[in-house]
Amino acid sequence: MKWLVVGTAGVICILTGCSSQTLVPAQEPVVIGEVCITPDNSNRKVAYNSTISALQQKGFVVKEVMAGATKGCKTILTCQSVSRWDMANFTSDISYEWYEDGKLTAHSKYHAVNGLNFSKYINTQEKVNEMLNKMLPSTPKLPSRYDR
């Protein structure tokens, strides 16, 4: 009986897929100002462009810099994303790391699994808004259907 329950749960997860999100929010209030963002290595840049837009809406001045050229930056956000194809393009992964004065102060990751998981077809801008709202709770909140 135990194996039937475990097996059934496994099959459901494989067929429906699961998305996961991890988060460590900034513990200190974040000062709105200039933030340097390093380029996303992905080929689609949907999450990256959505991130720049969200940061600007929150009041930040966004400066794009190469990963090795962040020496003059007080605040840095790294953004990496992955897009996949499964009947349509979708953003499967978004990863953020927020640094203040060279110290990692917040990070967030989103991952959607392939499979019959229709929740993977997210509105990327609203998912980015949700992630940044939660990661930087002292900043102005942006609209997102994913906020709970």
Side-chain angles (χ1 to χ4, degrees):
M1 183 66 178
K2 176 182 170 185
W3 290 109
L4 179 62
V5 171
V6 171
T8 303
V11 168
I12 289 171
C13 192
I14 289 169
L15 290 177
T16 61
C18 299
S19 63
S20 63
Q21 191 165 323
T22 59
L23 168 74
V24 174
Q27 298 301 305
E28 300 294 323
V30 172
V31 177
I32 303 292
E34 183 178 84
V35 60
C36 296
I37 186 169
T38 58
D40 184 349
N41 294 328
S42 73
N43 57 349
R44 273 189 76 225
K45 305 265 187 268
V46 175
Y48 180 73
N49 292 331
S50 295
T51 300
I52 290 172
S53 174
L55 289 169
Q56 290 170 336
Q57 289 176 54
K58 283 181 171 287
F60 289 96
V61 174
V62 179
K63 179 180 174 185
E64 295 179 77
V65 297
M66 298 307 294
T70 60
K71 190 173 185 171
C73 299
K74 180 181 179 336
T75 304
I76 302 165
L77 177 67
T78 64
C79 169
Q80 293 300 316
S81 64
V82 176
S83 294
R84 300 209 187 281
W85 176 263
D86 185 3
M87 297 188 293
N89 275 322
F90 70 98
T91 302
S92 66
D93 295 89
I94 304 171
S95 177
Y96 293 129
E97 292 181 335
W98 184 269
Y99 294 88
E100 295 275 349
D101 296 318
K103 180 182 172 195
L104 179 64
T105 59
H107 59 89
S108 183
K109 291 184 182 187
Y110 164 79
H111 174 70
V113 176
N114 266 336
L116 297 175
N117 171 19
F118 294 106
S119 67
K120 68 186 168 197
Y121 300 110
I122 60 169
N123 177 307
T124 301
Q125 182 66 63
E126 290 189 22
K127 178 52 79 174
V128 164
N129 289 355
E130 176 216 15
M131 291 175 72
L132 291 176
N133 286 342
K134 290 179 178 176
M135 191 173 80
L136 308 172
S138 65
T139 62
K141 188 173 179 177
L142 299 175
S144 174
R145 73 182 86 183
Y146 305 110
D147 279 330
R148 295 181 190 134

